[in-house]
């Protein structure tokens, strides 16, 4: 396997099968790690079925204890870096991130040698498809703010669709990350910046959800917005991205 996709899941029964099947059918040799938090809708069971259908290519973590996009993502990453792959891709399991973009993420990393390739909504050619104007505006504003407060030159700081070189991901010291929720996305960028990683962006079209519900809420948004200050306090001297 050349690349493994890490899918954090909570109640994604409506999309998980199609998402995984599309990843496995790609022209790159790809596997999947699912990090499920005991989804009440049976997402974990569907993932287990796929693991049985594709032995050695689909792995499922059934997490116990506190749930969250952050902690689940870290556990998923830890499983991924144990696999002999070149690249790890994190993405939503709800098909808002199109699996067909994975080969372009891989090609960009191959071409540039960058440690991280971000699937970006805010570079030319990228965007959001069929999304409500208010959600688009919130994403935009939050992004501009995160860019400034994290001190990054990245256009899309809250994209959950990103590729990492496996060794570079491992070197971020996953076990010492603290974010429990989706603000893990910013913590990872912050660590990458401190290590002077090269982060590049390629355009993606972010889709509206076809099934299931977003877990994003006001509390998560506010927590994400204070994250840069929490990170700065813990590690004041960042390098340059
Ligand atoms: N394991 C796990 N996954 C989660 C949790 N919250 C969200 N996710 C997953 O993280 C991804 C992004 O979440 P989503 O609600 O789609 O965020 P949005 O795209 O910003 O609306 C999806 O695959 C979710 O199923 C959680 O608490 N635990
Ligand atoms: Mg989503």
């Amino acid at each position: 396997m050349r690349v493994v996709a890490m899918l954090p899941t909570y109640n994604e029964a409506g999309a998980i099968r199609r998402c995984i099947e599309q990843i496995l059918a790609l022209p790159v040799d790809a596997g999947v790690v699912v990090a499920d938090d005991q989804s009440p809708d049976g997402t974990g069971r569907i993932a287990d079925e796929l693991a049985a259908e594709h032995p050695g290519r689909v792995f499922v973590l059934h997490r116990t204890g506190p749930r969250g996009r952050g902690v689940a993502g870290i556990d998923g990453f830890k499983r991924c870096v144990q696999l002999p792959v070149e690249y790890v891709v994190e993405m939503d399991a709800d098909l808002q991130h199109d699996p067909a973009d994975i080969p372009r993420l891989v090609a960009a990393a191959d071409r540039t040698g960058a440690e991280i390739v971000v699937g970006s909504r805010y570079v030319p050619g990228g965007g959001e498809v069929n999304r409500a104007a208010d959600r688009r505006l919130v994403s935009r504003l939050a992004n501009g703010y995160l860019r400034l407060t994290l001190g990054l030159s990245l256009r899309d700081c809250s994209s959950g669709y990103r590729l990492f070189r496996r060794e570079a991901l491992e070197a971020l010291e996953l076990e010492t990350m603290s974010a429990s929720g989706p603000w893990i996305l910013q913590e990872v960028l912050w660590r990458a910046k401190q290590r002077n990683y090269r982060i590049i962006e390629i355009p993606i079209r972010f889709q509206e959800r076809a099934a299931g519900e977003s877990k994003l809420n006001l509390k998560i948004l506010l927590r994400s917005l204070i994250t840069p200050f929490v990170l700065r306090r813990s590690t004041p001297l960042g390098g340059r991205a």
Side-chain angles (χ1 to χ4, degrees), residues 92 94 96 206 209:
D92 288 12
D94 50 18
Q96 289 194 278
F206 186 80
R209 259 183 184 271

Side-chain angles (χ1 to χ4, degrees), residues 7-12 35-39 43 63 66-73 91-97 121 131 135 158 160 180-182 185 206-209 213-216 220:
L7 308 175
T9 58
Y10 194 72
N11 286 346
E12 301 294 358
D36 185 60
D37 270 322
Q38 313 278 342
S39 297
T43 302
R63 301 190 64 259
R67 84 164 174 95
R69 167 68 182 82
V71 275
M91 62 191 289
D92 288 12
D94 50 18
L95 291 171
Q96 289 194 278
H97 296 142
R121 294 163 289 182
R131 292 206 96 203
R135 284 287 309 252
S158 56
S180 56
L185 294 169
F206 186 80
Q207 311 291 320
E208 188 45 286
R209 259 183 184 271
E213 276 167 28
S214 172
K215 281 100 218 165
L216 186 67
I220 289 177

Side-chain angles (χ1 to χ4, degrees), residues 217-232:
N217 56 37
L218 187 62
K219 205 172 130 199
I220 289 177
L221 181 67
L222 294 176
R223 184 63 188 76
S224 299
L225 294 182
I226 64 160
T227 291
F229 298 99
V230 177
L231 293 169
R232 271 170 192 277

Side-chain angles (χ1 to χ4, degrees), residues 4-22:
V4 62
M6 193 283 287
L7 308 175
T9 58
Y10 194 72
N11 286 346
E12 301 294 358
I16 184 82
R17 173 169 279 278
R18 259 190 311 146
C19 180
I20 292 176
E21 285 177 342
Q22 287 180 23

